[in-house]
Structures are given as structure tokens and as C-alpha cells.
Amino acid sequence: MPTAWTVLLPLPVGPLDWVAPPGALEPPVGSVAAVPWQRGVRLGLITHVHEVPVDRTLQLNEAVALAEGIPPLPEPTVAWLLDEAWRTAAPAGTLLAALHHPAFGADWHHHIERLDGQPLSATAPSGQSQTTPDPDDEAPLHELREQGLLRETFTLKRPQTTVLTASTDRDPPDVRRTPGQYQAWQALTSAGTVASAAELARLAGVTAGTVRSLIQGGYAHYETTTSKSVPPQPVGPMPPQGQAAEPPPAWISGGTPEQAIKRLLPTLQADLADGHSVLIIAPERHTMDAAADLLEQHLPTLRQMPQATPVERIDWQHAVATQPCCVVTGFGGLIAPIKQPARLVILDAENETHKQRSGPRTWTPQAARSWADAHHVPLHLTDVEVGPETLALALENPPGTTQQGVRLTRPTVRWVISDLSGARAWPLGADLVRVIRQTVERERQALIIAPRRGYAAAYECESCRTAIACPNCDLTLRYHARERRLKCHQCGHHEAPPATCPQCGSDALDATRAAGVEWVARVVRDVAPGAVTYRYDTDVKDDLTALYDGHPGVVVGTTAALRLAPLPVLSLIAVTQIDGMLHVDDFRAEMRALRTLAVLETLAGDRRPLGVIQTFTPELPLLTALTDRDGDAMTTLRAAIESRRQRFGYPPYGILSRVQASAKREADAWSALTDLAAQLKTAGANDDEVLGPAPMPVARLRGRYHAHLLIRASEAARARELLSMVPATAPGGVRMRVDVDARDIGEVLD
DNA sequence: AGCACGCCGACT
DNA sequence: GTCGGCGTGCTC
């Protein structure tokens, strides 16, 4: 029977079949193949090689060729990819595209040859899209391909370098008549090659014109060479063999990523000594670098350079495919062709960057769980504050492969809760002002977290209280003082602050409430005139070198400042208003706030800073628990969070997925969800499983109305079953979006 | 994702 | 009367 290749393209489609090209060797699953697609050719991943009956081949096209020079993905990795796509109710190609395999981003030489000996219009170029772009050439090519008259190959296009070199078939230039040219020629002959004419002129100490004459005279010429494949070498010493390690912890809570890696180091050393590799995934670049910098001191390590070109990333793949090492990467590392993985480590597991914002919207720790299962290796999760879901993932390891987990101890912060209700000063209350002044007087550092960017959350009329709203979204425009602009933080709309109120015509407009970074920074300068203040948020990132050199100063920022490296003499950390973090209608709000505070604590390194939290609602359980240092209020709080999740079937006790509808007309979005809810219930879903439709926190965004439906399932298969009933679109131009691992209930998808 | 097909509004 | 908007459906 003929052979078929099942190929997955990096497009929102599932795996599809093509007949193997005649005479092709049987490729391993996980190879990259070129297949005809929409009158062109595209590259995809071979997920399956199987026999097909002859009558089936009549319906199928022939695959074009294997793409050469790409290390095939291990079979468990391909199995994981398909399984994970199934779990997220997304076409497998969507997940493949989100993982950014370098083969799909690289340029290829697409060589075409006619089998009947007739001439062909040379080599059809193949650009980034993998579809041959010239439409005049393409129609006949496509027909020839269908007739089986072509032999095609795909080889990687490597960057070419042009060098200047001496022509060996010539005598040297006349030293008497053209001494400059002779001098340049000598320099070139002894150097072998130089990068450019200008380089040679500099090297030989002659003018550019002299070198030009040398080239025109035929004494030197340019040579174009294709750069060779140079896989990077792992950095770091190889551990001695025979290292025995006790079972490592499945989760590590309470420290920085580096501290977690130090805890795992004996295990990793034993893994590599046994000839295995370890995959380590970090959510952000600086975490990746910090982890790799540490690992390199102890073990052979290869890190994925985020700015690497596709060809460099393919060379990197060759390196990780052939030698045992610690592989430090991002999300895309889940399809790195790793040699014999021993375990998978997710750093900073609770970091929100682990949630993919596009494509199948995977949550990396969850995807990592199924990756570890597919590869039969344990999964390790680390974070400064491991939460219930992360913990549950860690505890699913096969018995005996890991210990439960460890909590690292760190210097405790004495949090002071400062009640702002009834306070006269704002946005900084008397308590915070006092400690800021003390910090400045003692020449220490302070970090103050404001709840938002800009100067204020609203710019409003003082007589009729109307705030200027975004024309595209149901949001007030934020006032940015530095730029003197009103900005929408969702759609990017911005405008000049109006002189008069559009509602009542009054000219008394101002930013009077809901302070942001700029406002807080201004007040800090007012109350502590001697302080050197810095701003750190998405809009402005001041140079903090002086602070890292140990000089005093006050940093005012948003949560963007949580990404900073620890500050050397940080003695005050403060949150100007925590209420926004806690009053969010989200069952994860408390754990998220606890983590934010824990990250703040780590910014002081080994120091034990003073912590101040301002609030209008000091009676909130989380705040009272923070100050109850000797009692067990925090334990009680965590137990309450846990039991509430259990009672409502929220993660990790169930799966909470989100279906979002968006449309130009609000009623269309809602009726799509009402129809879906009815359809789900007809199909047997009960009231516990279908929650909603419900309004989104912000109904209108970028001119479209949004609403959502939550689907609560007890297990992955049930979630998948219900989500498979969600259509991609609904009447009225409604776009439907599914988020299986919804992490933020209020988040707007696309 | 791309591409074709198909159905309704403003124009050379 | 056509050009072109985008909503809908398909790709082995």
C-alpha cells in the first residue's frame, strides 16, 4: 500500500494527509516537510506516517519534499503537541504556530527541476511565507507539480558573507608605478581576506580610491561565501559521573529563581552526569538570563537567545539535539528537540507572562504538565509564592520521582497597614510620608508602587462631575501629566485635554482623583524635597544605575517595577493603594496580591525592609492576616481560599474555561452566548457547568461589545466536550474566542 | 492564516 | 450598471 504523510501546518487547521513523494525515504515523525498548499508550497510538521489504500491516494495530493537540515522533533513531543491542542480545543496548527518553530520562520532555497528535461524558469524564489510569490510562474508550476513532473528540494538559506580577497591568478601590481596598490595588495595577501574595501584601506594605510583601483585592475575581487552551520557549544563544566541525589522537590516556594535552581543543582548534576538533558522554562528574558548565568557556573548550559535569527535557532536546535545540557528557554522550548530529557523545570510559575496572550492561549505550567507526562519525566515548578493551581500540577508527578516540595525561608517583612479612610492627606497618608522622610534622611532606598500609569485615572468636570470618556471603549481617559494628554489604556486613543466640559461647558476641568505614578511621584518630591526620585513604569523607565551603585533614592512605579533586580539598600517598600488588587471580581485576586507583595519583598535581597500598605478597607482578611505575625491568621486565610475554591469547583478542583463573544452590536454578542448556553444545556450540560452569559468588566472595547460565558468542568475531557460546541463565529459578525486555562476572568481576548 | 465565493452599498 | 466592502466556508 502507498505511504501517506500526515502533516501539520502552522495555520489554524488540523493535521492533513498527503501521499509521500515517489522514492522518498520514510521520514521520522517530527520532520519538517513541504506540501502543496493553495497553489503554492508550505512547510509543516510530519505528525504521522502511515499506509493508505490506493483509492484514498486518488483524493490526495503528493507531498513535495522533506525540508533538509532540521533536527526532527522527538515522537513524544509531537504526541504532546497534538494532545495539548486537543485539550485547549484549538486546531493543532494554531498551537504549532504559537510555538514558533524556527523552520517556519527561516528562508529556504526552493530548488525545482523538471523531470522531462524541459527548461524551467530557473529557481523559483521562496520567501518567508513559504508560498512561491510570483503569480505568473505559479499557475503552470502548480500544474506541473500536480502532474508529477517536478523534483523539488528545500535547503536552508544561510546568510551569505562577502569578503575581499587577492586574485591568485595575477601577478602583484607594479611596486614602482603603483606603490599604494602594491602596499594594499601585500596587506590583503597576508590577511587572506578582509570584510570590505574600506577595511583594507584602513589596514594598508592607503586611500579608498587606491583599493578601488586595485579591484578594478583585477588584483583583488569579492568572494561570496555561505556561512557554515556552527551549532553553539554549551557553556559550563561537566559534572563527574556517579552523582547520586535524593528525590528533588516537585515545587519550590519562597525564593528567587536562582535560589530554586541552587536547590535543584545536585539533581541536575546527576541528570547530566547520566547523559540526560534538562529543560528549564522561564517566562521572561531577565529570568532566563539570571538562571542561565547561574547554571553556566556549574553545568553545560545552552540558552535560547530571544533575538536570535531563525537560522541561529536551528543551529541551536542541532546543539541541544546532540549533547546533554541544561536548556534554558521560553515557551517555544517545549518543541526543542532535546536529547533525552530527564525533567522539566518551570521558573516563576505564577508569573502572568506564562499565560500566552494569543493563539491557543495556553498557560505554560499546564502545558508543561502534559509535556512532562508525554515524555515520562517529572515536572518541577518554582515561584516566590506557589499558589494552589501550581501546587496541584506539581503534585501530579509519578510517585517516587519527586518529593512533595519545599518552602524556602526569606527575611520577613513587617507590613504596616495604613488606613486611608478619613485621612486628610492623599495619595500618601501621614504614615507613609513619615517613613519616606526617614528613608531619605537615612540615605536609604524606597520603592513605592502606585496602582496605575499616568497622573490620574480620570480627567473630569468639577461642576457636573463628568469624566472624559474614550470614544471607542467604556473607559475614562487617563490623564498623563508629562505629555499633557488624555490616553485610553486599552485602545491607544489619545487626545488633548479639552478646555471646557463637553457636557456642561464649564472650564473647571482637572485630574482630581485616582492617583497614578506621576501624581504619587510629584507628592513624594513635595513631602521629601531632598530625595532623588526615579520613575519606573511602562511609559518611563529611568536609569537606576546610581541606585544599584548604592546611592539613596525613591523609585515610584507600577507593578512593572517588580521586574527589577534587587536594590542594594532598599529599606522601604510601599503600596499606595492595595484595594484595586483585592476588590477585583476574581477568585484569584488574593493569591495574586500575596504574590505581588512577596515579589516586592525579594527586591530587598537579604535585607529586611519596612513595608507599608495603604488601604481604604483595612478590615479585609488578607490585610489583617499580614499584620498577625505571631498568630495563624495567614494559615487560616490560605485554608479559606482553598476551601472556597473547592466548594465552587474552581481551579485546581475543576477547570474554569471562558467563552468570549464580541460584536459591533451588543445584542448580537449576547444572543450568540444565550444560544450557546441553551445548546450546551440541550446537549446535557447542567447549571453547575454553564455560568452565564455575564457582562465583561468593560463591555465596549475598541468599538466592539464583549460578553462571556464561563464553563466549569470537573475534568479536561468534559471541558473539551463542552468547548467543542463553541462555533468560531455566530450571526451578526460575532467573533467567539475560547480560553481553556482562563487565568484572568476580566481579560479581553484579542 | 489565506483565498474564493457571495451578497449588499457608493461610484468611475 | 460595476467596484469593493466583509461575512462565510474550506483547505488533504
PDB file of all heavy atoms in Angstrom, chain A residues 157-172:
ATOM      1  N   LYS A 157      18.416  28.439   3.646  1.00  0.00           N
ATOM      2  CA  LYS A 157      19.182  29.559   3.113  1.00  0.00           C
ATOM      3  C   LYS A 157      19.962  30.177   4.259  1.00  0.00           C
ATOM      4  O   LYS A 157      19.390  30.740   5.177  1.00  0.00           O
ATOM      5  CB  LYS A 157      18.224  30.575   2.495  1.00  0.00           C
ATOM      6  CG  LYS A 157      18.906  31.591   1.599  1.00  0.00           C
ATOM      7  CD  LYS A 157      17.911  32.610   1.058  1.00  0.00           C
ATOM      8  CE  LYS A 157      17.113  32.056  -0.117  1.00  0.00           C
ATOM      9  NZ  LYS A 157      16.183  33.067  -0.673  1.00  0.00           N
ATOM     10  N   ARG A 158      21.266  30.028   4.206  1.00  0.00           N
ATOM     11  CA  ARG A 158      22.107  30.589   5.275  1.00  0.00           C
ATOM     12  C   ARG A 158      22.574  31.973   4.871  1.00  0.00           C
ATOM     13  O   ARG A 158      22.711  32.246   3.683  1.00  0.00           O
ATOM     14  CB  ARG A 158      23.311  29.680   5.515  1.00  0.00           C
ATOM     15  CG  ARG A 158      22.898  28.339   6.057  1.00  0.00           C
ATOM     16  CD  ARG A 158      24.057  27.553   6.602  1.00  0.00           C
ATOM     17  NE  ARG A 158      23.526  26.537   7.490  1.00  0.00           N
ATOM     18  CZ  ARG A 158      23.346  26.719   8.780  1.00  0.00           C
ATOM     19  NH1 ARG A 158      23.683  27.857   9.344  1.00  0.00           N
ATOM     20  NH2 ARG A 158      22.835  25.768   9.518  1.00  0.00           N
ATOM     21  N   PRO A 159      22.820  32.835   5.842  1.00  0.00           N
ATOM     22  CA  PRO A 159      23.273  34.173   5.487  1.00  0.00           C
ATOM     23  C   PRO A 159      24.591  34.105   4.722  1.00  0.00           C
ATOM     24  O   PRO A 159      25.445  33.260   4.997  1.00  0.00           O
ATOM     25  CB  PRO A 159      23.450  34.871   6.834  1.00  0.00           C
ATOM     26  CG  PRO A 159      23.454  33.779   7.845  1.00  0.00           C
ATOM     27  CD  PRO A 159      22.696  32.641   7.270  1.00  0.00           C
ATOM     28  N   GLN A 160      24.723  34.984   3.738  1.00  0.00           N
ATOM     29  CA  GLN A 160      25.936  34.976   2.940  1.00  0.00           C
ATOM     30  C   GLN A 160      26.827  36.121   3.376  1.00  0.00           C
ATOM     31  O   GLN A 160      26.367  37.198   3.719  1.00  0.00           O
ATOM     32  CB  GLN A 160      25.578  35.146   1.466  1.00  0.00           C
ATOM     33  CG  GLN A 160      24.678  34.024   0.992  1.00  0.00           C
ATOM     34  CD  GLN A 160      24.818  33.763  -0.490  1.00  0.00           C
ATOM     35  OE1 GLN A 160      24.866  34.710  -1.268  1.00  0.00           O
ATOM     36  NE2 GLN A 160      24.908  32.513  -0.866  1.00  0.00           N
ATOM     37  N   THR A 161      28.119  35.842   3.348  1.00  0.00           N
ATOM     38  CA  THR A 161      29.061  36.902   3.683  1.00  0.00           C
ATOM     39  C   THR A 161      29.929  37.169   2.469  1.00  0.00           C
ATOM     40  O   THR A 161      30.324  36.243   1.759  1.00  0.00           O
ATOM     41  CB  THR A 161      29.947  36.496   4.874  1.00  0.00           C
ATOM     42  OG1 THR A 161      30.461  35.190   4.619  1.00  0.00           O
ATOM     43  CG2 THR A 161      29.174  36.495   6.167  1.00  0.00           C
ATOM     44  N   THR A 162      30.176  38.435   2.221  1.00  0.00           N
ATOM     45  CA  THR A 162      31.028  38.817   1.099  1.00  0.00           C
ATOM     46  C   THR A 162      32.343  39.316   1.649  1.00  0.00           C
ATOM     47  O   THR A 162      32.371  40.153   2.554  1.00  0.00           O
ATOM     48  CB  THR A 162      30.330  39.917   0.285  1.00  0.00           C
ATOM     49  OG1 THR A 162      29.073  39.411  -0.138  1.00  0.00           O
ATOM     50  CG2 THR A 162      31.145  40.300  -0.923  1.00  0.00           C
ATOM     51  N   VAL A 163      33.443  38.755   1.125  1.00  0.00           N
ATOM     52  CA  VAL A 163      34.770  39.181   1.584  1.00  0.00           C
ATOM     53  C   VAL A 163      35.610  39.570   0.379  1.00  0.00           C
ATOM     54  O   VAL A 163      35.357  39.132  -0.746  1.00  0.00           O
ATOM     55  CB  VAL A 163      35.495  38.057   2.375  1.00  0.00           C
ATOM     56  CG1 VAL A 163      34.796  37.807   3.700  1.00  0.00           C
ATOM     57  CG2 VAL A 163      35.602  36.790   1.561  1.00  0.00           C
ATOM     58  N   LEU A 164      36.605  40.380   0.644  1.00  0.00           N
ATOM     59  CA  LEU A 164      37.535  40.806  -0.392  1.00  0.00           C
ATOM     60  C   LEU A 164      38.796  39.958  -0.276  1.00  0.00           C
ATOM     61  O   LEU A 164      39.317  39.754   0.819  1.00  0.00           O
ATOM     62  CB  LEU A 164      37.870  42.295  -0.192  1.00  0.00           C
ATOM     63  CG  LEU A 164      38.647  42.997  -1.296  1.00  0.00           C
ATOM     64  CD1 LEU A 164      37.860  42.960  -2.598  1.00  0.00           C
ATOM     65  CD2 LEU A 164      38.920  44.444  -0.896  1.00  0.00           C
ATOM     66  N   THR A 165      39.269  39.423  -1.413  1.00  0.00           N
ATOM     67  CA  THR A 165      40.455  38.568  -1.365  1.00  0.00           C
ATOM     68  C   THR A 165      41.333  38.834  -2.582  1.00  0.00           C
ATOM     69  O   THR A 165      40.857  39.348  -3.605  1.00  0.00           O
ATOM     70  CB  THR A 165      40.046  37.082  -1.279  1.00  0.00           C
ATOM     71  OG1 THR A 165      41.206  36.288  -1.066  1.00  0.00           O
ATOM     72  CG2 THR A 165      39.343  36.599  -2.533  1.00  0.00           C
ATOM     73  N   ALA A 166      42.614  38.503  -2.454  1.00  0.00           N
ATOM     74  CA  ALA A 166      43.558  38.738  -3.562  1.00  0.00           C
ATOM     75  C   ALA A 166      43.317  37.705  -4.658  1.00  0.00           C
ATOM     76  O   ALA A 166      43.019  36.547  -4.375  1.00  0.00           O
ATOM     77  CB  ALA A 166      44.994  38.649  -3.054  1.00  0.00           C
ATOM     78  N   SER A 167      43.444  38.143  -5.908  1.00  0.00           N
ATOM     79  CA  SER A 167      43.282  37.199  -7.015  1.00  0.00           C
ATOM     80  C   SER A 167      44.599  36.451  -7.216  1.00  0.00           C
ATOM     81  O   SER A 167      45.634  37.066  -7.453  1.00  0.00           O
ATOM     82  CB  SER A 167      42.897  37.950  -8.291  1.00  0.00           C
ATOM     83  OG  SER A 167      41.758  38.741  -8.035  1.00  0.00           O
ATOM     84  N   THR A 168      44.534  35.139  -7.120  1.00  0.00           N
ATOM     85  CA  THR A 168      45.769  34.336  -7.148  1.00  0.00           C
ATOM     86  C   THR A 168      46.318  34.183  -8.553  1.00  0.00           C
ATOM     87  O   THR A 168      47.486  33.884  -8.738  1.00  0.00           O
ATOM     88  CB  THR A 168      45.503  32.941  -6.555  1.00  0.00           C
ATOM     89  OG1 THR A 168      44.320  32.422  -7.147  1.00  0.00           O
ATOM     90  CG2 THR A 168      45.340  33.013  -5.049  1.00  0.00           C
ATOM     91  N   ASP A 169      45.433  34.375  -9.564  1.00  0.00           N
ATOM     92  CA  ASP A 169      45.893  34.159 -10.937  1.00  0.00           C
ATOM     93  C   ASP A 169      46.586  35.390 -11.519  1.00  0.00           C
ATOM     94  O   ASP A 169      46.850  35.453 -12.709  1.00  0.00           O
ATOM     95  CB  ASP A 169      44.700  33.763 -11.821  1.00  0.00           C
ATOM     96  CG  ASP A 169      43.559  34.766 -11.710  1.00  0.00           C
ATOM     97  OD1 ASP A 169      43.602  35.604 -10.782  1.00  0.00           O
ATOM     98  OD2 ASP A 169      42.629  34.702 -12.531  1.00  0.00           O
ATOM     99  N   ARG A 170      46.882  36.372 -10.657  1.00  0.00           N
ATOM    100  CA  ARG A 170      47.515  37.592 -11.161  1.00  0.00           C
ATOM    101  C   ARG A 170      48.851  37.837 -10.483  1.00  0.00           C
ATOM    102  O   ARG A 170      49.044  37.513  -9.318  1.00  0.00           O
ATOM    103  CB  ARG A 170      46.605  38.795 -10.875  1.00  0.00           C
ATOM    104  CG  ARG A 170      45.383  38.893 -11.765  1.00  0.00           C
ATOM    105  CD  ARG A 170      45.757  39.279 -13.202  1.00  0.00           C
ATOM    106  NE  ARG A 170      46.485  40.536 -13.261  1.00  0.00           N
ATOM    107  CZ  ARG A 170      45.895  41.703 -13.603  1.00  0.00           C
ATOM    108  NH1 ARG A 170      44.617  41.746 -13.890  1.00  0.00           N
ATOM    109  NH2 ARG A 170      46.606  42.796 -13.654  1.00  0.00           N
ATOM    110  N   ASP A 171      49.736  38.449 -11.216  1.00  0.00           N
ATOM    111  CA  ASP A 171      50.977  38.913 -10.603  1.00  0.00           C
ATOM    112  C   ASP A 171      50.649  40.120  -9.737  1.00  0.00           C
ATOM    113  O   ASP A 171      49.643  40.784  -9.962  1.00  0.00           O
ATOM    114  CB  ASP A 171      51.980  39.342 -11.692  1.00  0.00           C
ATOM    115  CG  ASP A 171      52.445  38.135 -12.497  1.00  0.00           C
ATOM    116  OD1 ASP A 171      52.413  37.015 -11.929  1.00  0.00           O
ATOM    117  OD2 ASP A 171      52.773  38.311 -13.686  1.00  0.00           O
ATOM    118  N   PRO A 172      51.506  40.420  -8.770  1.00  0.00           N
ATOM    119  CA  PRO A 172      51.252  41.598  -7.940  1.00  0.00           C
ATOM    120  C   PRO A 172      51.303  42.877  -8.771  1.00  0.00           C
ATOM    121  O   PRO A 172      51.937  42.904  -9.837  1.00  0.00           O
ATOM    122  CB  PRO A 172      52.384  41.560  -6.912  1.00  0.00           C
ATOM    123  CG  PRO A 172      53.293  40.475  -7.314  1.00  0.00           C
ATOM    124  CD  PRO A 172      52.650  39.642  -8.348  1.00  0.00           C
TER     125      PRO A 172
END
